Amino acid sequence: MTRAQAVIDLGAVAHNLAILRKVAPHSQLLAVVKADAYGHGLVPVAKAARAAGADWVGVALLREAVELREAGDVGPLLAWLWAPGDPDLVACISADVQISVSSMWSLIEVTEAAAQANSIAHIHLKLDTGLSRNGADIDEWEELVVAAKALQTRGRIDVVGIWSHLANASHENDPSVAAQRARFLEGVAVAKASGIQPQLLHLANSGGALAYPDTQFDLVRVGIAMYGVAPMDPNSAQRFGLKAAMSLHAKLALVKTIPAGQAVSYSGTWTAEAPTRVGLVPVGYADGIPRAAIGAQVLVNGVQCAVLGRVAMDQFVIELPEAVGEVSAGDDIVIFGDASAGAPTADDWGNASNTIGYEIVTRIGNRIPRVYQGNS
Ligand SMILES: Cc1ncc(COP(=O)(O)O)c(C=O)c1O
């Protein structure tokens, strides 16, 4: 390690998928690897997930799907977020990437692209059941499924799936989950009445798969739980036995003692009340460490140490209390990692920064090399 690195434990990915497999034994598992696998590395994680038995891999962007295929990925792959005129659509269809369709424009474009690829587009029709984000509105749904059925009969598209996405599966006992499930089933009934016979119904993300078994249907799309970050409340990763796949390590760049009365970092939001030994961590918000963090900790020699003052662009300062023992520049510290190793977690950093563990791992930037461990 030179300055910092993110160690990605692919064994943890496999371990977490095994837990999800047990929790949803009758559903296929789709490993969500969008956004560079939530910062863990698109290609290595997809490969590890497939090796660990994931039936599907899923991405948001068509570009991400093309990157996977170019890297040699084969097997069921779904991509779900695209805008009109996406230049990767024909390549996706040629490479047998299945595509989500939420609207008439996307149905038309996918059919035209299938003709251009001289192939059949395998599609999943997406219904908005209450997230009010992507997915066809229930008012437009019937028109969409009728049009899809007509185009399917002409042979350029094949409706493989009907799907939707939950808004609140990260909360325990949330009544909106049952409401979304009911709306989903209504939409499925409308599609079936128009002659569509989907092989796959899917609704659940990690939280759905883990806490709402009746949302599992034929396939569950699991992202955050596969990475061992909390799918629900901040302790939920530990409660479900999930292991953090990413731990972020850095080398201390400097150790020194500052006098009482001296303020630390920009705007002096923390001032030493007594002479204080501090360490400089050469990682900052340019690397994805949130500037907003207040009260975050890092692990030094097995001891959690407080971040002092503001996180800057490339660096931040930590307290090194006596309990840490001998420490000097060049020593390794853990910014976040697995709770079982005594490290603060990505979720702890999320709490300290008024965000969620998802954002912490996903934003770790490309100045931080990823180093892979564990079998894929
Ligand atoms: C459509 C869709 N399905 C599944 C997931 C995976 O969600 P999670 O990471 O909560 O498992 C996401 C991620 O945001 C998503 O956008």
Side-chain angles (χ1 to χ4, degrees):
M1 173 167 67
T2 49
R3 169 182 74 107
Q5 65 185 24
V7 176
I8 311 297
D9 180 358
L10 297 174
V13 168
H15 165 90
N16 297 334
L17 281 172
I19 289 177
L20 290 156
R21 171 72 76 200
K22 267 199 205 129
V23 163
H26 307 298
S27 305
Q28 297 185 37
L29 282 182
L30 179 148
V32 180
V33 297
K34 63 185 174 141
D36 202 26
Y38 294 32
H40 296 65
L42 174 69
V43 171
V45 172
K47 204 170 157 204
R50 290 216 193 264
D55 307 282
W56 285 74
V57 164
V59 290
L61 311 185
L62 304 189
R63 182 92 294 258
E64 294 171 320
V66 169
E67 276 174 33
L68 275 175
R69 290 307 200 217
E70 284 175 356
D73 176 73
V74 288
L77 171 57
L78 175 66
W80 56 71
L81 185 62
W82 51 295
D86 192 309
D88 289 314
L89 185 57
V90 175
C92 276
I93 293 167
S94 300
D96 204 16
V97 176
Q98 305 204 8
I99 309 285
S100 177
V101 164
S102 299
S103 58
M104 286 305 278
W105 74 256
S106 51
L107 182 65
I108 291 163
E109 285 202 11
V110 91
T111 309
E112 287 170 359
Q116 231 176 302
N118 196 21
S119 184
I120 297 175
H122 299 283
I123 67 169
H124 295 231
L125 294 173
K126 187 169 194 186
L127 174 66
D128 178 6
T129 54
L131 181 61
S132 307
R133 213 176 63 175
N134 203 354
D137 214 67
I138 192 77
D139 304 340
E140 299 161 355
W141 181 246
E142 186 162 8
E143 190 192 353
L144 183 66
V145 294
V146 167
K149 171 63 187 161
L151 289 168
Q152 179 165 278
T153 308
R154 281 187 240 154
R156 275 295 172 213
I157 61 161
D158 170 31
V159 181
V160 175
I162 293 182
W163 73 302
S164 188
H165 190 43
L166 295 171
N168 295 311
S170 55
H171 306 289
E172 208 99 40
N173 300 318
D174 195 293
S176 74
V177 175
Q180 282 197 261
R181 181 180 182 276
R183 233 167 285 155
F184 182 59
L185 289 176
E186 279 167 32
V188 170
V190 169
K192 285 189 174 163
S194 76
I196 284 174
Q197 288 167 328
Q199 299 154 36
L200 293 173
L201 303 182
H202 50 111
L203 179 61
N205 65 337
S206 297
L210 288 160
Y212 297 91
D214 67 355
T215 64
Q216 291 172 352
F217 293 104
D218 301 310
L219 175 150
V220 293
R221 304 181 309 273
V222 291
I224 204 70
M226 177 174 72
Y227 300 106
V229 177
M232 306 185 77
D233 58 87
N235 290 323
S236 55
Q238 290 93 293
R239 197 167 67 248
F240 290 117
L242 303 167
K243 283 191 198 157
M246 180 189 289
S247 43
L248 181 60
H249 297 248
K251 244 183 198 180
L252 286 177
L254 202 63
V255 173
K256 62 185 176 184
T257 299
I258 59 169
Q262 186 149 321
V264 170
S265 193
Y266 292 127
S267 306
T269 57
W270 185 90
T271 301
E273 283 176 4
T276 304
R277 186 171 58 155
V278 300
L280 181 67
V281 181
V283 180
Y285 63 76
D287 301 296
I289 299 298
R291 180 178 180 275
I294 296 174
Q297 313 256 323
V298 302
L299 189 69
V300 184
N301 289 346
V303 177
Q304 289 209 6
C305 299
V307 174
L308 302 178
R310 290 241 163 97
V311 172
M313 189 181 289
D314 313 295
Q315 51 197 298
F316 64 88
V317 175
I318 55 171
E319 185 168 9
L320 293 168
E322 251 174 52
V324 168
E326 279 219 3
V327 61
S328 50
D331 287 358
D332 288 359
I333 68 150
V334 181
I335 299 173
F336 61 78
D338 195 66
S340 69
T345 62
D347 297 300
D348 292 332
W349 272 88
N351 280 344
S353 317
N354 198 21
T355 183
I356 51 178
Y358 287 72
E359 187 174 349
I360 300 297
V361 290
T362 304
R363 289 174 72 114
I364 297 305
N366 58 13
R367 297 203 309 187
I368 307 280
R370 271 56 170 180
V371 174
Y372 292 91
Q373 282 182 353
N375 289 330
S376 68

